[in-house]
DNA sequence: CTCTCTGCAAATAATTTGCAACCCC
DNA sequence: GGGGTTGCAAATTATTTGCAGAGAG
C-alpha cells in the first residue's frame, strides 16, 4: 500500500459521510456527493469508500459481495466466517448471556425482533497459508479484537 | 403462500444440505446436486433454497443481495437493520458483557479475531406502514425472538 | 386436470476493473 | 514530473425472473 493522496472527491465523501446520521449505501452517497461534485463517478465512490474503510477512517457495515451460505443443521449454534476465504465454520456448545431487547429498542426507535452474532476469524487452512505479511483490516466492520475477550 | 410440492430437486437439495457439515454457497450446492440430477439448473437451486429457508427447514446465513452500508461515526456502537427496508439504525449506549474468544476458537478450529453483532428489527417508518399481515420469517438467519431477552 | 415447479436464458443489481486523461505531492 | 486517482464504460458476480413445457397431487 503506497502513499494515499488527498483528493477533492475523497475529502468530499469523507466529510459528507461524517455529517450524516444515516448509513447510506454507495449509491445513495454517490447521489449526495454529486450535488457538490457533479462529475464524480460511482466507481470513484466505491474506490474511496473501500480505501477509507481500509484505513479505518470510516466503517463498512457488512454484506457487500459476499455470497449467501446455507446451513441444513437447525440445532442452535454460532458461526465463524473466515476473513480470508469466506468459508463458514460452526461453533457448537457456546452459551452466551441473553441480551435485553428493551434497551436497543429504546436507543434506536426500532421494534427489535432479534439479533445476530457471528465470529470473525481465520480458518485452519488459511492460517496455514499465512506466511506473508497479509494486509491488516479488510475494512469490513469487525468490532473489537480484544485478546481473550471480544466485545460483541 | 400456497401448497408447496415435493419435487425430486427440492428433496435432493434438502437431503444434500443436511448431509453436509459445511455451509455451501448456492453455486457450490448446485455443483454437488448436479451429480445426482445433472439437469438441475442454478435457478432452481436458488428458488428452492429460498423456499426452504422461508419455511424454516434450512437456514440462510446472511448477506446475499444486501448492499453494503457505510458509517462515518467511529464511536463504538451497535446497529439495527430493518427487515423490511434494509435501513440501518444506531444503538448507542448499550453495554454488553464481553465474550470469551477461547471457547469459539476451540469449538471451531478457527483463529478468532473478533465478532460482530447486529440487531434485527423494524424501523419506525416501516412499522407505521405495517397494516397488512406481513410474511413471517424472511428466511434469513435471525437467531432468537425471545420477547425481552435476545439470544445473541 | 390443475397448478406449482423446472430448465433455460435473459435481466437485475451491486460492485469491480481496464484505460487514458488528470492532478496531488 | 511521476504515480496515485478519476471518469467512463465495459466486465464480473450473485441472484432474480419471464416463459413454455413438465410433473406432482
Amino acid at each position: 500500500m503506497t502513499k494515499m493522496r488527498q483528493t477533492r472527491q475523497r475529502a468530499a465523501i469523507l466529510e459528507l459521510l461524517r455529517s450524516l446520521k444515516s448509513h447510506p449505501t454507495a449509491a445513495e452517497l454517490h447521489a449526495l456527493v454529486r450535488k457538490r461534485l457533479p462529475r464524480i463517478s460511482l466507481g470513484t465512490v466505491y474506490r474511496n469508500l473501500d480505501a477509507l474503510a481500509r484505513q479505518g477512517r470510516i466503517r463498512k457495515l457488512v454484506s457487500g459481495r459476499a455470497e449467501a451460505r446455507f446451513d441444513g443443521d437447525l440445532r442452535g449454534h454460532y458461526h465463524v466466517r473466515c476473513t480470508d476465504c469466506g468459508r463458514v465454520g460452526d461453533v457448537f456448545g457456546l452459551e452466551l448471556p441473553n441480551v435485553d431487547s428493551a434497551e436497543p429498542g429504546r436507543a434506536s426507535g426500532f421494534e427489535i425482533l432479534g439479533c445476530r452474532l457471528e465470529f470473525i476469524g481465520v480458518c485452519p487452512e488459511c492460517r496455514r497459508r499465512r506466511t506473508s505479511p497479509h494486509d491488516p483490516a479488510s475494512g469490513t466492520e469487525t468490532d473489537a479484537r480484544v485478546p481473550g475477550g471480544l466485545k460483541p
Side-chain angles (χ1 to χ4, degrees), chain A:
Chain A
M1 199 191 294
T2 37
K3 195 66 145 294
M4 182 178 277
R5 285 178 188 169
Q6 164 72 0
T7 67
R8 210 161 351 120
Q9 19 285 83
R10 183 162 299 159
I13 290 172
L14 182 55
E15 186 180 341
L16 178 57
L17 190 50
R18 279 184 175 154
S19 77
L20 294 173
K21 56 288 148 214
S22 64
H23 303 84
T25 62
E28 289 167 354
L29 220 27
H30 179 229
L32 292 173
V33 191
R34 246 184 175 178
K35 291 181 181 166
R36 203 191 304 183
L37 300 174
R39 304 198 56 75
I40 193 174
S41 74
L42 181 53
T44 295
V45 172
Y46 271 110
R47 274 184 289 229
N48 278 312
L49 286 173
D50 186 66
L52 290 168
R54 202 174 292 276
Q55 277 191 161
R57 310 225 277 156
I58 67 172
R59 197 157 294 188
K60 177 177 185 176
L61 277 46
V62 292
S63 70
R65 177 78 315 117
E67 313 138 87
R69 285 176 176 274
F70 300 85
D71 191 348
D73 191 337
L74 298 177
R75 292 173 295 170
H77 63 281
Y78 297 97
H79 292 118
V80 210
R81 193 172 295 256
C82 177
T83 38
D84 281 19
C85 69
R87 194 179 345 234
V88 171
D90 289 313
V91 178
F92 280 101
L94 179 61
E95 277 310 327
L96 297 180
N98 278 13
V99 172
D100 176 26
S101 75
E103 183 66 14
R106 197 179 318 122
S108 64
F110 281 48
E111 174 191 354
I112 305 296
L113 298 176
C115 69
R116 173 163 45 231
L117 177 140
E118 85 173 9
F119 293 95
I120 305 295
V122 186
C123 73
E125 273 182 57
C126 287
R127 185 151 20 126
R128 200 169 306 133
R129 187 162 37 60
R130 278 194 170 202
T131 34
S132 54
H134 55 22
D135 66 290
S138 69
T140 295
E141 184 189 45
T142 294
D143 290 324
R145 309 209 169 182
V146 191
L150 306 174
K151 191 108 201 127

